[in-house]
Amino acid sequence: MHARQLTALSKFLSLILRHQPERVGLRLDAQGWVEIDVLVAKCRAHGSPLTRESVEQLVASSEKRRFAISEDGRRIRANQGHSVPIDLSYPAAVPPAVLYHGTPEANVERIRKQGLLKMQRHHVHLSSDRETARVVGVRRGSAVILRIHALVMHEAGHVFFLSANGVWLVDHVPPEFIAFAES
């Protein structure tokens, strides 16, 4: 499968496994898992050329590791970013001293007042490096990289989780824990 096809498949699976499983008649379990064979059958019934092999190739070749296949190889789920109600069951983790968040410049004034909000997702997503944050931020325009004082937040009682693909998750980042100087 070509890189362009894998990208399209990744976007499609993100839509189905994170936001709209009902679009193809799927129901995710409480932790976001679905049987791969059921996913393939439902997607094919709705016109997608999805195969088990293409799903496995996407998961194996994805640098971003957006999806996970269960240990028994039968189920798949998105690692984070859901807008549908699920419990990923990630254990709480102690974050590094600093994490980063990339955001379009247009969001900065709102963030200065309210902090980082999870919006329609389950958590705010943070990265351990500036480059990942920059890549995320530029998807919607000129990016500003925010420096998050994560360990200080944790010590103040905020609970962090580390997803299977290395994305740090937290419910909210209040403005007092954000350094706005970086861009």
Side-chain angles (χ1 to χ4, degrees), residues 25-161:
L26 277 179
R27 190 176 351 208
L28 307 177
D29 75 9
Q31 288 78 40
W33 294 103
V34 65
E35 297 283 331
I36 295 172
D37 292 338
V38 172
L39 170 70
V40 168
K42 295 279 188 177
C43 289
R44 291 181 73 81
H46 284 81
S48 171
L50 193 67
T51 65
R52 176 177 262 283
E53 293 75 25
S54 64
V55 169
E56 290 172 351
Q57 181 183 0
L58 172 67
V59 173
S61 66
S62 173
E63 290 179 15
K64 295 182 179 180
R65 297 182 3 220
R66 286 192 170 114
F67 310 102
I69 292 180
S70 61
E71 288 185 23
D72 64 8
R74 295 176 43 219
R75 300 174 301 151
I76 186 171
R77 76 174 180 183
N79 281 323
Q80 87 279 327
H82 298 80
S83 60
V84 295
I86 60 148
D87 176 10
L88 292 170
S89 300
Y90 291 135
V94 177
V98 174
L99 291 170
Y100 299 92
H101 183 83
T103 191
E105 199 170 340
N107 294 342
V108 172
E109 284 311 309
R110 179 191 50 79
I111 294 169
R112 282 184 192 279
K113 294 174 187 164
Q114 300 175 341
L116 290 169
L117 305 173
K118 58 187 174 183
M119 308 304 273
Q120 285 78 39
R121 295 192 177 182
H122 289 249
H123 296 98
V124 173
H125 296 187
L126 304 171
S127 63
S128 57
D129 65 277
R130 285 179 48 84
E131 180 56 22
T132 300
R134 187 195 65 73
V135 169
V136 170
V138 298
R139 283 190 264 175
R140 293 180 185 87
S142 179
V144 172
I145 310 306
L146 305 175
R147 189 169 191 235
I148 311 303
H149 301 290
L151 188 56
V152 174
M153 266 184 74
H154 170 73
E155 290 167 350
H158 295 267
V159 180
F160 286 79
F161 304 94

